[in-house]
Amino acid sequence: MEEDIRKQGILYLQQQQTFGKKWKRMWSVLFRENTCSISRLEFFECKDGGAMDKGPRKQQEHRKVIRLSNCIRVSEVDVNGCPKDTGSFLVETTEKMYVFAADRNQVGDWIHKLCEIAFPFLPPQKNLLQLTKCNNTR
């Protein structure tokens, strides 16, 4: 059975370092839950132009997974120092907070699809309304 990929592409992950913050370029794949797998966001480091240069085995070794069932909040955030022409958003889980940046034209779509999968109990209009409220309370 094929996995249900809802979105994939380049995201930048903000990482805390000893002297400031750094953005790592990641290939990211958003999966919807199905009978054989959980809903999740998988990402792995993407070097020099592509996610597939090291082969599937290498990707599996360095892959990170966010279980969307553990998601508490997804919202757009203002972060200084984002990569050029990107916008940032937050994914908060019960265990950790992740700050990602995506192409400015893709930020809304990433947030919408993440919310749609992480919070399926909310009707789509309510989901977007909640996202708008979160963004306006900053």
Side-chain angles (χ1 to χ4, degrees):
M1 175 177 242
E2 288 283 318
E3 294 205 74
D4 192 0
I5 296 174
R6 304 306 294 165
K7 186 162 182 70
Q8 59 186 333
I10 298 293
L11 290 178
Y12 295 88
L13 175 65
Q14 186 182 64
Q15 297 187 315
Q16 185 69 45
Q17 304 226 308
T18 307
F19 299 104
K21 296 179 178 164
K22 177 183 173 187
W23 293 91
K24 262 195 168 171
R25 187 173 177 210
M26 311 295 273
W27 180 256
S28 306
V29 184
L30 179 60
F31 295 92
R32 182 185 293 275
E33 179 180 3
N34 66 32
T35 56
C36 300
S37 65
I38 62 169
S39 57
R40 66 201 183 277
L41 176 63
E42 293 186 5
F43 50 99
F44 16 99
E45 193 170 351
C46 180
K47 293 184 179 182
D48 301 328
M52 306 303 170
D53 356 1
K54 292 185 177 180
R57 177 167 286 164
K58 202 69 166 162
Q59 288 175 0
Q60 295 291 334
E61 291 173 15
H62 300 291
R63 155 182 81 161
K64 294 189 178 161
V65 177
I66 298 174
R67 293 175 60 124
L68 295 180
S69 60
N70 294 338
C71 197
I72 297 170
R73 176 174 55 144
V74 175
S75 63
E76 195 169 353
V77 291
D78 286 329
V79 176
N80 291 329
C82 282
K84 187 178 179 181
D85 297 324
T86 64
S88 54
F89 62 95
L90 171 78
V91 176
E92 183 178 354
T93 69
T94 54
E95 299 169 1
K96 191 173 178 179
M97 289 176 55
Y98 300 87
V99 177
F100 290 99
D103 182 277
R104 198 170 301 286
N105 300 327
Q106 293 291 315
V107 173
D109 193 42
W110 274 104
I111 292 171
H112 175 75
K113 288 203 167 113
L114 280 161
C115 285
E116 184 180 82
I117 295 169
F119 313 115
F121 51 87
L122 290 175
Q125 292 85 5
K126 218 177 207 180
N127 205 345
L128 288 175
L129 180 61
Q130 183 179 13
L131 174 63
T132 305
K133 285 181 182 175
C134 282
N135 289 338
N136 290 335
T137 59
R138 288 186 263 154

